[in-house]
């Protein structure tokens, strides 16, 4: 089976949306990526760190979904990374209420020995030096390195970010961040500039407006499924990345054509994620549900035009 | 040939964007709709009003693109409707600087005699009573009545708007307006509520994020073509409507499947409109250019997934 290395936070989140609020629940980029990638037949390992306060049941939950947790360091006398946020009424924007780095502050990622030759590495949103640290531990160059990041790192660690960006094949980034990174408003121009920075493939995430995949002069647009109700957008971007990476790891085909399909898988999985609070919807998703929704994506976008 | 009746403003626009500004140039909903629909092999007539200050060359321009101008009343001692606006840097929002209704204030639309049996009526953005006035003049019920409107009429003439909405088959409206009309944030729920108001088909325009077509439980998502440069968004929505109506009038097939194609034609034509100031790009568009761009739309959205 293909191997997938996932690096990112494993965390506590407290979330408030117009529909309700939660106490500290399971969150973190690596969590969402791992749960999403677990829908594909791959060996995946999460590389992260938690404190002694992190419940065993959360670790078990990941293990039960076939995410290898050997690479999740437990700092017994430390506290787990904690984020809390409140979404506005439109669910498209949010305020961060709390960010407690805790054990993340001195995180030194360790890739499990038997994952150092993984074909695919998914670098979830974390300090670019941590992302580079994971790449450095790989004994052979991964066939595909994917990087997710956010504006925070552009603000405080741009040089480190630009260094690691040089070393990856794909970047996933949201529209505002693509604009910030390049100073370009047009996403077409922004994507071209990002390709010049290193990644041959650029995925621009637009939330409820879908995602764009750029490569050379090719562009592919995957819509987001219009939903009756968005309950909690937390983790949607990571779930997208997990579906994208998981599908590519499973198929081992890193062509533009196959990446289009990977983007659709990512969008499909993200559409489930937002239906419930936190990771709830992702914990027991079935293949049947996924296939049904993929079918909806097909009818959502497919049309026939005879060009003469 | 199929007949298409178009009602809407024929106007002067003065536009300022980050890329430059214009003096009074040709504008108006019926102008953009007419120019866009002229790319299909249909007999179309614009129903509108202008003042004595309206240049003959603008009327000739419409005539040259096969838009019948018999229904454009010329009020010799009146002044043409004038709008001016300034776009913000992101090109997604704008401030209206001037609105001079002028001859539009007492506009009484008159549908040319030989268009009163038209199969398709496109009611461009105007006072709902004017839109209803056009429908009232049709000697036989059109096979397809399409209505475009905006928040302004919801604010000042909601009852009249709800009355005419009852009598149309399709409504085209932007996302914010759909939310305002229904009080629902979810576009899926908003579209369902609008269908209950009358129109069996609801097209929600999302600007650079594309358009959604709803009918019963079916939904179709047409992306907007990602562009290097958006020069002037003025008229893009009307150009979309003109392409949509023109294609449907030409084919005479008003099924959901064919409306999907109509949405793609609308999006394709709108993608040209924004490339230059005002109507400039629409004045001499060729079939060859349109087909080339339709082909881009196909590769933009088509993907293969084998569902097992």
């Amino acid at each position: 089976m293909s191997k997938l290395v996932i690096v990112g936070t494993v965390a506590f989140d407290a979330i408030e949306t117009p529909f309700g609020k939660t106490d500290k629940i399971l969150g973190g980029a690596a969590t969402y990526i791992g749960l999403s990638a677990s829908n594909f037949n791959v060996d995946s390992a999460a590389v992260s760190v938690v404190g002694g306060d992190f419940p065993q049941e959360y670790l078990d939950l990941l293990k039960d979904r076939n995410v290898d947790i050997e690479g999740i360091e437990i700092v017994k006398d430390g506290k787990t990374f904690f984020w809390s946020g409140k979404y506005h009424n439109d669910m498209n924007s949010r305020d961060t209420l709390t960010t407690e780095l805790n054990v993340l502050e001195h995180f030194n990622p360790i890739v499990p020995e038997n994952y150092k030759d993984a074909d695919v590495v998914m670098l979830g949103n974390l300090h670019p030096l941590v992302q580079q640290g994971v790449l450095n531990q790989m004994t052979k160059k991964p066939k595909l390195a994917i990087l997710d990041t956010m504006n925070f790192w552009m603000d405080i660690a741009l040089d480190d970010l630009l260094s690691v960006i040089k070393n990856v094949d794909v970047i996933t980034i949201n529209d505002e961040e693509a604009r910030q990174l390049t100073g370009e408003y047009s996403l077409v121009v922004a994507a071209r500039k990002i390709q010049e920075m290193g990644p041959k493939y650029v995925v621009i995430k637009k939330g409820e407006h879908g995602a764009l995949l750029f490569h050379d002069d090719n562009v592919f647009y995957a819509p987001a499924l219009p939903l009756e109700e968005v309950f909690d957008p937390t983790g949607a971007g990571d779930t997208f990345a997990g579906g994208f990476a998981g599908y590519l790891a499973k198929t081992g085909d890193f062509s533009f054509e196959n990446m289009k399909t990977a983007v659709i898988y990512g969008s499909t999985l993200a559409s489930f994620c937002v239906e419930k609070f936190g990771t709830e919807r992702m914990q027991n998703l079935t293949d049947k549900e996924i296939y049904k929704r993929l079918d909806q994506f097909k009818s959502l976008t497919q049309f026939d035009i005879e060009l003469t």
Side-chain angles (χ1 to χ4, degrees), chain A:
Chain A
M1 277 209 292
S2 308
K3 292 178 189 172
L4 169 66
V5 170
I6 298 161
V7 62
T9 53
V10 172
F12 290 129
D13 285 348
I15 302 160
E16 188 172 343
T17 82
F19 300 103
K21 63 189 284 187
T22 69
D23 287 329
K24 284 186 178 186
I25 57 172
L26 174 62
T31 304
Y32 283 101
I33 295 169
L35 288 176
S36 186
S38 75
N39 293 292
F40 304 90
N41 203 23
V42 294
D43 281 331
S44 64
V47 176
S48 194
V49 61
V50 295
D53 57 348
F54 197 73
Q56 185 62 39
E57 64 167 294
Y58 286 167
L59 293 171
D60 291 345
L61 191 154
L62 288 170
K63 241 166 89 177
D64 288 349
R65 293 292 287 190
N66 291 318
V67 179
D68 192 315
I69 58 167
E70 190 194 327
I72 303 182
E73 185 191 350
I74 301 174
V75 180
K76 285 249 161 63
D77 56 351
K79 285 179 73 184
T80 301
F81 172 60
F82 172 56
W83 174 84
S84 78
K86 182 177 173 172
Y87 287 87
H88 302 159
N89 279 333
D90 67 3
M91 302 291 264
N92 275 325
S93 52
R94 68 186 185 192
D95 294 323
T96 289
L97 304 176
T98 318
T99 307
E100 293 172 12
L101 286 182
N102 297 330
V103 293
L104 213 59
E105 205 159 353
H106 303 288
F107 174 41
N108 199 1
I110 296 165
V111 179
E113 208 52 49
N114 66 328
Y115 276 91
K116 288 187 173 168
D117 60 351
D119 279 346
V120 180
V121 175
M122 176 70 232
L123 303 170
N125 175 36
L126 261 182
H127 196 296
L129 289 179
V130 172
Q131 295 178 319
Q132 183 62 55
V134 167
L135 285 186
N136 292 347
Q137 290 172 54
M138 304 304 288
T139 50
K140 69 176 183 97
K141 188 175 152 55
K143 290 186 183 157
L144 194 77
I146 307 162
L147 178 140
D148 189 59
T149 188
M150 69 183 293
N151 50 0
F152 182 68
W153 308 117
M154 297 174 201
D155 294 336
I156 70 157
L158 184 60
D159 287 346
D160 295 330
L161 180 60
L162 292 175
S163 286
V164 66
I165 281 181
K166 261 190 215 152
N167 299 325
V168 300
D169 306 288
V170 186
I171 186 170
T172 68
I173 191 170
N174 79 27
D175 42 1
E176 282 320 305
E177 290 157 357
R179 285 168 176 146
Q180 178 175 343
L181 187 59
T182 60
E184 293 289 343
Y185 188 80
S186 159
L187 297 179
V188 178
V189 180
R192 189 186 307 132
K193 281 202 173 178
I194 295 172
Q195 289 181 64
E196 287 163 7
M197 296 175 184
K200 293 181 297 291
Y201 299 87
V202 176
V203 177
I204 296 184
K205 301 175 287 182
K206 307 203 300 168
E208 63 161 331
H209 303 302
L212 290 161
L213 167 68
F214 293 91
H215 172 59
D216 288 340
D217 290 331
N218 301 309
V219 50
F220 175 66
Y221 194 133
L225 197 69
L227 294 169
E228 298 238 350
E229 201 169 88
V230 172
F231 209 70
D232 171 18
T234 310
D238 295 317
T239 301
F240 174 90
F244 180 78
Y247 177 77
L248 290 173
K250 176 189 163 193
T251 56
D253 172 354
F254 310 129
S255 65
F256 180 74
E257 275 308 301
N258 201 50
M259 257 185 225
K260 285 161 60 173
T261 309
V263 169
I264 294 290
Y265 268 96
S267 299
T268 300
L269 287 158
S271 77
F272 287 109
C273 176
V274 301
E275 289 182 336
K276 296 202 172 170
F277 264 119
T279 59
E280 192 181 344
R281 189 69 178 90
M282 303 308 294
Q283 288 176 24
N284 36 37
L285 203 53
T286 65
D287 283 354
K288 203 176 153 188
E289 290 173 307
I290 295 171
Y291 283 137
K292 193 174 161 199
R293 195 153 290 187
L294 284 168
D295 211 31
Q296 286 179 270
F297 263 89
K298 279 182 96 162
S299 38
L300 183 64
T301 56
Q302 306 293 291
F303 61 89
D304 277 320
I305 286 188
E306 292 301 321
L307 298 177
T308 48

